[in-house]
Amino acid sequence: MPHPYVLLSAAVSLDGYLDDTGPDRLLLSGPADFDRVDEVRASVDAILVGAGTIRADNPRLLVNSAERRAARVAAGKPEYPLKVTVSGSGDLDPAANFWHTGGEKIVYTTEKGAARARAVGLAADVVPLGAELDWRRLLEHLHDVRGVRRLMVEGGGQIHTQLLRQGLADELQLVLAPLFVGDPDAPRLFGPGPYQGGRLRLVSTRSVGDVVLMRYEPTAPGSGPHASAADHHWLALACELAALCPPSDTAFSVGAVVVAADGTELARGHSREGDDPVVHAEEAALAKITPGDPRLASATVYSSLEPCARRASRPAPCARLILDAGVRRVVTAWREPDTFVAGADGSGVLVAEGATVVVLPEYEAVAKAPNRHLLG
């Protein structure tokens, strides 16, 4: 199911700490960065913090600029983004600033936590997610029920850690402050444990006063049927490649990318690439990889259109080429219609031989765009 775009926002010391152990909050940023954060808050639909952050910092989580609030209203949005918190226990102080400033609030919790949260009369919508907290269900609810398309997560470290480990963070905005904490008992941004492999992609850096803002995107594909944030990035790229295809009245325009498990791009291709008027996107991409490359066994193929199951222009369809290359995971935006081949079912061919096919329908419209003339 579709999720909001999840943006993690945090500031840390040079040695990776979120705070010290003193009684007051350690200010890692200055006025220029606080204003930048206010700008980001104004741009999103919802802001999320964990219950621990509410207890420790008692934040208001407001858009402070009157001009930015007015711009939100002029755009048809609420004056303030939806405020969201997560608490497994439901143990929340109803007097905290979080509940009494800004606009609407929502608490995601467990069945037991919901009873506790409702008993204390929180000024918020209380949504139980079941016996345990489930981040995927939470994000689906925000997207489908509350209409959240961009979610800013401001902490704490445990929340950031969980979202990154599960591959649910689309972007990390990390501010590096020019100071050291050095206290082993102070809270760190990320906890120990298993994370997705691979290097994150550095999108941009810039100085903001005396701190440095770094923006990163994950690159490692998901595993099995669960889509990761990086799956969305790579499928979006495949859809962009589809727009590069020479036009045709007899074949679809498709883009494809092959990505190793660690997030390394192995190859990309698009329909009718180069001098071959009948080459398919997946075929073009796989042809650029050395046969037997050991990374293919754990790689993912991203294709803007379901790989073909039958074709007249080549001996082997793309679903067969993918299987013969050893790839066992495919992410696509839409299923092949009957325009040229009746009953096309490349996904069925793949699944029948043990491959996993993940369909992200939120990319269907952009994948169809270069094929409008074929679809009527």
Side-chain angles (χ1 to χ4, degrees):
M1 296 294 291
H3 295 164
Y5 183 93
V6 178
L7 184 162
L8 307 187
S9 176
V12 295
S13 65
L14 289 173
D15 50 347
Y17 288 95
L18 284 168
D19 200 356
D20 58 20
T21 54
D24 299 319
R25 178 72 176 173
L26 176 65
L27 296 181
L28 293 163
S29 299
D33 190 56
F34 290 140
D35 186 66
R36 179 197 65 81
V37 170
D38 194 66
E39 181 179 23
V40 177
R41 286 179 179 176
S43 73
V44 301
D45 302 305
I47 304 168
L48 184 149
V49 294
T53 297
I54 293 178
R55 298 185 194 105
D57 300 339
N58 198 21
R60 290 178 169 82
L61 296 181
L62 301 177
V63 175
N64 294 310
S65 165
E67 292 80 6
R68 289 173 183 145
R69 296 198 304 271
R72 286 179 58 88
V73 173
K77 300 179 180 180
E79 184 178 9
Y80 294 98
L82 173 70
K83 295 202 294 189
V84 184
T85 192
V86 183
S87 170
S89 67
D91 181 15
L92 295 158
D93 181 2
N97 290 329
F98 183 91
W99 316 110
H100 303 287
T101 57
E104 289 189 84
K105 296 93 182 173
I106 186 168
V107 180
Y108 288 102
T109 182
T110 60
E111 295 289 352
K112 290 184 178 179
R116 186 171 189 174
R118 289 171 179 144
V120 299
L122 295 178
D125 182 15
V126 177
V127 178
L129 296 174
E132 302 290 338
L133 291 173
D134 184 325
W135 278 108
R136 292 182 183 274
R137 286 189 62 192
L138 184 157
L139 293 174
E140 288 169 10
H141 187 274
L142 279 176
H143 183 279
D144 295 345
V145 178
R146 301 308 299 255
V148 173
R149 297 298 179 263
R150 288 183 64 85
L151 172 67
M152 181 182 187
V153 181
E154 294 199 37
Q158 184 177 1
I159 300 294
H160 284 142
T161 296
Q162 290 173 357
L163 288 167
L164 276 173
R165 283 183 185 169
Q166 294 184 41
L168 296 173
D170 292 276
E171 179 181 342
L172 170 61
Q173 292 191 2
L174 181 63
V175 163
L176 192 61
L179 53 84
F180 294 92
V181 172
D183 186 340
D185 295 324
R188 287 188 173 274
L189 174 56
F190 298 120
Y195 289 85
Q196 282 193 299
R199 300 171 71 89
L200 277 67
R201 179 187 300 110
L202 179 63
V203 178
S204 66
T205 63
R206 67 182 173 99
S207 59
V208 184
D210 69 345
V211 303
V212 176
L213 167 67
M214 297 170 287
R215 294 179 55 232
Y216 288 96
E217 291 179 349
T219 63
S223 59
H226 293 300
S228 71
D231 286 332
H232 290 259
H233 294 306
W234 290 116
L235 186 58
L237 173 59
C239 292
E240 290 174 12
L241 293 172
L244 302 178
C245 301
S248 172
D249 292 328
T250 59
F252 290 113
S253 292
V254 182
V257 189
V258 185
V259 182
D262 66 357
T264 300
E265 180 182 329
L266 300 180
R268 63 175 70 181
H270 59 79
S271 304
R272 301 177 294 283
E273 182 177 339
D275 298 326
D276 191 338
V278 297
V279 71
H280 285 195
E282 303 93 328
E283 177 187 16
L286 289 169
K288 298 169 186 173
I289 305 171
T290 303
D293 187 320
R295 296 172 295 180
L296 287 169
S298 56
T300 296
V301 169
Y302 298 88
S303 180
S304 60
L305 175 66
E306 172 188 52
C308 63
R310 298 191 299 277
R311 63 189 292 192
S313 59
R314 290 283 198 269
C318 291
R320 173 49 52 193
L321 294 175
I322 290 169
L323 292 167
D324 289 348
V327 177
R328 290 299 181 269
R329 186 170 186 267
V330 175
V331 178
T332 185
W334 61 305
R335 303 293 297 271
E336 184 179 354
D338 292 342
T339 308
F340 301 116
V341 178
D345 186 17
S347 295
V349 172
L350 291 163
V351 171
E353 297 200 27
T356 298
V357 177
V358 181
V359 180
L360 301 182
E362 56 266 45
Y363 293 92
E364 182 174 329
V366 67
K368 286 181 174 178
N371 298 289
R372 289 193 192 99
H373 62 294
L374 301 173
L375 301 175

